[in-house]
Amino acid sequence: MEMTRLNEAGAGARFVNIGERCNVTGSARFKKLVLAGDYDAAVEVARDQVENGAQIIDVNVDEALLDSEQAMTVFLKRIAAEPDIARVPVMIDSSKWSVIEAGLKCVSGKPIVNSISMKEGEGPFLELARKCRSYGSAVVVMAFDEVGQADTAERKVAICERAYKLLVADGTDPTDIIFDPNIFAVATGIDEHRRYAIDFIEASKEIRRRCPGTHISGGLSNLSFSFRGNEPVRRAMHSVFLFHAIPAGMDMGIVNAGQLDVYDAIDGELREACEDVILDRREDSTERLIALAERYKGTDEAEEKKLAEWRSLPVGERLSYALVKGIDAHIVDDTEEARQEVLAREGRPIEVIEGPLMDGMNVVGDLFGSGKMFLPQVVKSARVMKRAVAHLIPYIEAEKERTGATQGKGRVVMATVKGDVHDIGKNIVGVVLQCNGFEVIDLGVMVPWQDILKAANDNNADMIGLSGLITPSLDEMVTVAGEMQRLGLKTPLLIGGATTSKAHTALRIDPAYEGPVIHVLDASRAVGVASSLVSDTQRDPLIANTADDYDKLRKSRERSGQSELATLAEARANAFAFDPEGQAPAPQYPGLHHFGDWPLADLKASIDWTPFFRAWELAGNYPAILDDPVVGESARGLFKDANAMLDQLIAERWVTPKATVGLWRCKREGDDVLVLAGNDWTRLPFLRQQVKKREGRANFCLADFINPDGEDWIGAFAVGIHGLEPHLERFKQTIDDYDDILLKALADRLAESFAEVLHATVRNRLWGYAEEHFSTADLIREKFHGIRPAPGYPACPDHSLKPILFDMLGGHPAEVTLTENFAMLPTSAVSGFYFGHRDSQYFGVARIGRDQLEDYAGRRGVSIEQAERWLRPNLD
């Protein structure tokens, strides 16, 4: 994660949890393991933190009985070898520079140094900052100067501002500065300590104002030190403190994410007492919290769920309650009762929509916007709303009303662009916009630009939303923007989808269209953007600010340049060295193999659930997410629904998993692999990394994992989950967005699980080079030998290799077909290559040079222009 990303959405938009357990001063268990030299178990401490939501790991091995430099080096190298841990940045925490430097020498990516300060004066402070900068590290700067630690808001601000000016003048990027203005204990009984929390909060706000671009962090456990041993009170204090500190500018903190309570779920009396202490609102705040804390000592917070007697509420309140809770069991009866009430006073049926139903949806929108409700719940609310509206529409039409909905905020035409078939994200955005009063015209998937612009014109759309998952969709979006420009349109164009980015939108799409172009990161941001675009007061500032932001991004790219590239010849000379000892033997069962109906129960057991929750915009790793203090309740409900559908899907055989595998002789020619698929040799041209590497690091190409001096073997596969359509149609007929999205997300997980299970079958039986006994968790962590890179992904970024792969596998492997832009149908499908070498590994090709582009075009036998279209993302 780049530190600069934390500032993109402003203070508080994204709070980063810094894991605190890999610290010998804060974790007795970690200290014991490191002192005993049990680094295997110590690594598991780090893994547990990442799985529990830590986005940065703080590592501290300052202990008198340790060789701290060696311990830091060994531990960091160990976690660097674990992909699921190495994906998060490391905060190297020590009071000794020698220990910090030992850590900096063995961390890849962007590390964070914790910490430096001005306690020894400006000279030593700047010297350490320069050293950190030379390692490409961000720095935590303590609010500490020659006089001592800052305790008041004024001192915190003054020290941080002074440090900021010194560092920036000396060449440090502001986004690499993390201020720690010192969180001290409150409720100690000492009057001088009463303002410690509010001083931190007020100082944070002022520091962010005076020191733009910087971050603010702190060690949260210090705050509640007076109540050690009373975990319910400590958790409540931490949650209340963050509730106020994050909006003030605190965007990261050393905290145990699993030990936080949801602010609204804290007992009201305890929450008020904590708030009184933290905000210093009463003279007797400390005494009152101490007295109250005795009640919680030795207990734990069990969330009490009221069984609401909501069925006895007036019908309007019942409708609102059903919407907020996503309960559709009584919605038709209640809607009819509300209609009868309206008729009794000679009103119109549409008043039921404009009254209680919209009141309920406004509550849903407010809760979602404030982070107190999450996507699965919102989609359930939408299902309830749509069923209520569906009941009312015949009566409204009988009264000759123009539409079956209240006057909407605006009208949005949405489509997945031509050649692309993925729509889960688009559907979620559409549901959320509808929940917030927008009328959404969803054109579906594979929609040509002509149809998109015709629909926008016919429906007088306020904005157009484009979605896409595969990289060729990026070019198609540029085409749509260009056609809008040619036709002289001014309609705002919203860009979304997994492959899209703010950078691509600014660099490629925005210049093609003079009208407003806005990249929308996810569903939660879509509402704010769309609402602003239909607002008289917010529209122009949003458009102007976005245009200015994109212009700055383009100029920044021009100024900063890009990472230096090696020539293609230099990159090839620095290729990964093939080790003949690691070559996999000949397959036991070469050739093509077809699997027509793989047992679904096998696939359920191997599902990786973490991406499933991310598809619903629930952040966290499975299974820890089920107990997450923020999203846990929503995640548990979603997980229960998913497993119920999965069990029904398996029992009733809703879908059929099909697969094709091929294993063939091959030989290498430079960066190409020639494959004897059938009677003819097929050429597979691969791309090589060209970004210049540090000494000892290779410029990888997939061809490097094939023997350059003799015969070798390679494989390929395709899997597809067939049969979704009748069930999706059924959900459409019953107005059930929730089950529609749920089934699509589950089908995607089954396809990925099938790819995992099939790969294990290939390694252990068909190719037979392995004899494994891995758990599902170990399979997901890819602890086995061999890789299965897919066209369109980082190691093999060219989607246009899919037709070659499919031809090798017989034309329509697993009965999967390709669109003109190389998207796979059915949408829940996976395809790729098999490499069996012991040292084969995943990597990203990233940016390539003009020399490789021309070389690749020659190897593919296509024009430079065609190769540019295929590889555009790697040329930016």
Side-chain angles (χ1 to χ4, degrees):
M1 181 206 314
E2 291 185 10
M3 301 301 299
T4 51
R5 288 178 59 192
L6 299 173
N7 271 324
E8 285 181 2
R14 182 179 178 188
F15 183 81
V16 174
N17 294 315
I18 303 171
E20 62 179 358
R21 309 313 296 165
C22 293
N23 188 326
V24 295
T25 64
S27 169
R29 179 183 173 223
F30 185 76
K31 177 179 178 180
K32 181 179 178 182
L33 293 172
V34 176
L35 281 171
D38 188 358
Y39 285 97
D40 287 337
V43 164
E44 291 308 309
V45 174
R47 194 189 315 282
D48 287 345
Q49 287 190 97
V50 174
E51 290 179 351
N52 280 295
Q55 293 147 300
I56 297 173
I57 297 177
D58 181 87
V59 179
N60 184 309
V61 288
D62 283 359
E63 160 59 44
L65 298 177
L66 276 174
D67 179 343
S68 296
E69 287 88 347
Q70 183 196 30
M72 180 67 79
T73 301
V74 171
F75 183 72
L76 291 183
K77 285 183 176 179
R78 292 295 296 273
I79 64 174
E82 300 291 331
D84 50 339
I85 306 174
R87 64 186 174 82
V88 302
V90 171
M91 179 176 278
I92 303 168
D93 186 351
S94 177
S95 58
K96 303 175 189 172
W97 173 254
S98 60
V99 177
I100 289 173
E101 191 164 39
L104 289 171
K105 289 177 179 177
C106 52
V107 171
S108 60
K110 190 177 191 71
I112 306 166
V113 165
N114 187 12
S115 60
I116 64 174
S117 75
M118 295 187 293
K119 65 181 178 181
E120 294 177 12
E122 294 181 359
F125 170 67
L126 288 174
E127 184 180 347
L128 288 179
R130 290 177 195 126
K131 289 180 179 178
C132 293
R133 206 159 61 236
S134 71
Y135 284 101
S137 174
V139 287
V140 175
V141 179
M142 300 296 295
F144 202 125
D145 65 3
E146 300 88 341
V147 177
Q149 278 188 294
D151 50 0
T152 66
E154 293 76 18
R155 283 259 298 146
K156 294 175 194 288
V157 172
I159 292 173
C160 291
E161 185 178 27
R162 177 186 167 202
Y164 176 83
K165 289 178 178 177
L166 287 169
L167 289 171
V168 172
D170 195 54
T172 297
D173 188 323
T175 60
D176 283 342
I177 302 170
I178 305 164
F179 286 117
D180 185 336
N182 308 321
I183 299 176
F184 295 131
V186 292
T188 64
I190 301 171
D191 266 354
E192 288 80 3
H193 298 176
R194 280 175 41 181
R195 281 192 53 85
Y196 277 167
I198 193 68
D199 276 343
F200 182 97
I201 293 167
E202 290 177 353
S204 296
K205 191 178 296 184
E206 187 63 16
I207 291 165
R208 289 295 288 255
R209 189 182 71 81
R210 297 194 193 184
C211 308
T214 59
H215 308 284
I216 291 180
S217 180
L220 199 59
S221 60
N222 294 344
L223 178 83
S224 60
F225 190 73
S226 300
F227 294 90
R228 58 196 182 280
N230 192 333
E231 286 308 306
V233 172
R234 296 194 75 177
R235 289 204 309 269
M237 290 178 72
H238 296 165
S239 296
V240 170
F241 177 82
L242 288 178
F243 184 82
H244 295 283
I246 290 174
M250 183 182 182
D251 55 1
M252 57 178 69
I254 300 177
V255 57
N256 185 341
Q259 293 293 308
L260 289 174
D261 289 331
V262 178
Y263 178 84
D264 285 347
I266 301 169
D267 176 77
E269 188 180 8
L270 176 59
R271 186 175 65 222
E272 183 180 11
C274 291
E275 209 135 38
D276 286 342
V277 165
I278 286 164
L279 302 180
D280 191 29
R281 296 194 300 206
R282 297 170 58 121
E283 286 296 321
D284 61 345
S285 296
T286 296
E287 291 77 12
R288 291 177 72 248
L289 182 57
I290 289 171
L292 184 61
E294 284 303 307
R295 263 196 253 161
Y296 295 87
K297 208 162 191 176
T299 69
D300 202 354
E301 289 264 307
E303 209 177 317
E304 293 181 11
K305 292 189 183 274
K306 290 188 203 170
L307 189 55
E309 299 292 335
W310 68 283
R311 295 306 301 155
S312 62
L313 295 171
V315 67
E317 294 179 41
R318 293 203 303 272
L319 287 173
S320 291
Y321 184 91
L323 284 165
V324 173
K325 298 297 182 183
I327 302 169
D328 63 357
H330 311 278
I331 192 62
V332 173
D333 291 342
D334 286 350
T335 303
E336 176 59 20
E337 184 180 335
R339 188 182 75 86
Q340 293 296 340
E341 281 191 5
V342 168
L343 289 178
R345 55 180 172 77
E346 298 184 355
R348 298 178 304 154
I350 198 169
E351 292 176 28
V352 180
I353 298 175
E354 293 176 335
L357 289 174
M358 283 311 298
D359 288 345
M361 291 314 292
N362 287 336
V363 173
V364 170
D366 291 343
L367 288 171
F368 182 59
S370 62
K372 296 175 183 175
M373 189 181 238
F374 302 95
L375 268 177
Q377 298 153 301
V378 172
V379 176
K380 282 184 176 179
S381 297
R383 174 172 63 183
V384 177
M385 178 70 171
K386 288 182 176 181
R387 286 180 175 171
V389 171
H391 175 74
L392 291 168
I393 281 177
Y395 301 103
I396 294 170
E397 288 180 343
E399 201 187 23
K400 296 185 178 178
E401 287 287 338
R402 186 179 64 84
T403 178
T406 186
Q407 180 64 39
K409 287 184 182 176
R411 192 170 290 144
V412 186
V413 166
M414 298 180 67
T416 300
V417 296
K418 185 178 72 170
D420 202 328
V421 295
H422 300 86
D423 67 352
I424 291 181
K426 171 177 65 67
N427 290 354
I428 288 174
V429 170
V431 168
V432 173
L433 287 174
Q434 287 172 314
C435 288
N436 283 269
F438 287 87
E439 182 184 349
V440 175
I441 296 110
D442 188 341
L443 303 181
V445 301
M446 295 181 63
V447 187
W449 66 262
Q450 296 93 334
D451 295 353
I452 295 171
L453 301 190
K454 183 178 186 300
N457 181 66
D458 292 349
N459 291 281
N460 195 25
D462 294 290
M463 61 202 82
I464 297 170
L466 302 182
S467 176
L469 179 70
I470 57 175
T471 49
S473 298
L474 300 176
D475 273 352
E476 189 61 33
M477 291 176 180
V478 175
T479 299
V480 176
E483 291 301 325
M484 292 174 72
Q485 176 65 25
R486 186 177 65 81
L487 295 171
L489 302 183
K490 298 298 179 186
T491 310
L493 180 62
L494 309 185
I495 303 296
T499 312
T500 65
S501 66
K502 179 181 172 182
H504 180 270
T505 304
L507 295 170
R508 295 292 181 194
I509 303 176
D510 187 51
Y513 178 48
E514 291 179 6
V517 179
I518 301 174
H519 178 253
V520 182
L521 188 63
D522 54 36
S524 63
R525 314 292 174 90
V527 176
V529 170
S531 298
S532 295
L533 287 173
V534 296
S535 164
D536 291 337
T537 58
Q538 297 174 14
R539 175 188 166 95
D540 290 344
L542 172 67
I543 292 171
N545 290 338
T546 303
D548 183 56
D549 192 20
Y550 289 176
D551 188 52
K552 285 178 180 174
L553 194 153
R554 288 189 289 267
K555 288 176 180 173
S556 172
R557 284 294 181 96
E558 290 171 7
R559 283 197 307 271
S560 62
Q562 294 171 306
S563 50
E564 188 179 357
L565 294 183
T567 66
L568 181 56
E570 290 169 341
R572 285 172 171 166
N574 191 41
F576 178 75
F578 183 87
D579 180 1
E581 293 295 318
Q583 183 173 333
Q588 295 185 28
Y589 300 97
L592 285 178
H593 307 272
H594 301 283
F595 303 91
D597 192 357
W598 198 282
L600 283 165
D602 286 1
L603 306 186
K604 179 184 177 183
S606 299
I607 286 177
D608 179 3
W609 285 101
T610 297
F612 171 80
F613 290 108
R614 287 181 184 154
W616 288 89
E617 296 185 11
L618 295 178
N621 294 318
Y622 174 81
I625 191 172
L626 301 179
D627 297 313
D628 186 273
V630 178
V631 302
E633 183 180 355
S634 184
R636 287 191 297 274
L638 178 63
F639 190 56
K640 180 181 176 183
D641 292 344
N643 276 285
M645 179 178 280
L646 200 50
D647 290 341
Q648 185 180 5
L649 179 154
I650 293 170
E652 299 176 7
R653 299 180 63 80
W654 286 8
V655 297
T656 304
K658 298 181 179 181
T660 299
V661 169
L663 297 168
W664 310 283
R665 296 177 188 277
C666 68
K667 58 185 178 181
R668 178 178 168 186
E669 282 189 3
D671 290 348
D672 294 348
V673 177
L674 299 182
V675 183
L676 188 58
N679 298 319
D680 299 316
W681 290 94
T682 298
R683 182 176 297 274
L684 292 174
F686 292 115
L687 292 164
R688 181 172 296 281
Q689 294 175 320
Q690 273 189 268
V691 173
K692 283 197 171 180
K693 301 296 190 77
R694 296 203 308 257
E695 188 176 348
R697 290 179 177 264
N699 288 83
F700 283 99
C701 173
L702 286 174
D704 292 346
F705 307 131
I706 300 297
N707 193 328
D709 300 317
E711 185 180 273
D712 208 336
W713 292 83
I714 195 171
F717 74 98
V719 303
I721 305 296
H722 297 267
L724 263 65
E725 291 74 16
H727 305 286
L728 296 176
E729 181 60 30
R730 174 160 49 90
F731 297 144
K732 183 178 179 182
Q733 295 302 321
T734 55
I735 318 171
D736 197 340
D737 288 312
Y738 181 75
D739 281 351
D740 176 277
I741 294 169
L742 190 61
L743 179 56
K744 288 175 179 174
L746 283 173
D748 283 353
R749 289 297 89 217
L750 287 171
E752 293 290 349
S753 175
F754 195 3
E756 192 74 79
V757 169
L758 187 66
H759 195 186
T761 300
V762 168
R763 295 192 305 272
N764 290 276
R765 188 170 68 84
L766 296 181
W767 198 328
Y769 64 78
E771 187 176 340
E772 303 165 348
H773 304 283
F774 287 127
S775 66
T776 297
D778 285 340
L779 284 175
I780 291 169
R781 290 171 183 159
E782 296 177 340
K783 293 202 167 184
F784 47 79
H785 291 317
I787 58 173
R788 54 174 189 275
Y793 285 79
C796 182
D798 185 1
H799 280 273
S800 75
L801 285 183
K802 282 181 198 165
I804 301 174
L805 183 154
F806 274 42
D807 285 345
M808 289 164 53
L809 289 169
H812 297 297
E815 296 184 23
V816 176
T817 58
L818 295 173
T819 71
E820 60 188 295
N821 281 347
F822 317 118
M824 291 178 284
L825 283 169
T827 55
S828 299
V830 182
S831 63
F833 302 103
Y834 289 135
F835 289 82
H837 194 281
R838 178 197 60 207
D839 298 330
S840 59
Q841 56 192 275
Y842 294 105
F843 57 90
V845 167
R847 193 164 62 94
I848 64 170
R850 187 78 184 176
D851 53 353
Q852 184 163 195
L853 172 72
E854 294 173 355
D855 179 85
Y856 187 76
R859 290 189 281 141
R860 288 295 304 270
V862 299
S863 67
I864 299 290
E865 292 72 25
Q866 180 63 67
E868 281 180 331
R869 283 194 291 274
W870 287 340
L871 302 178
R872 194 179 307 283
N874 299 89
L875 301 174
D876 290 341

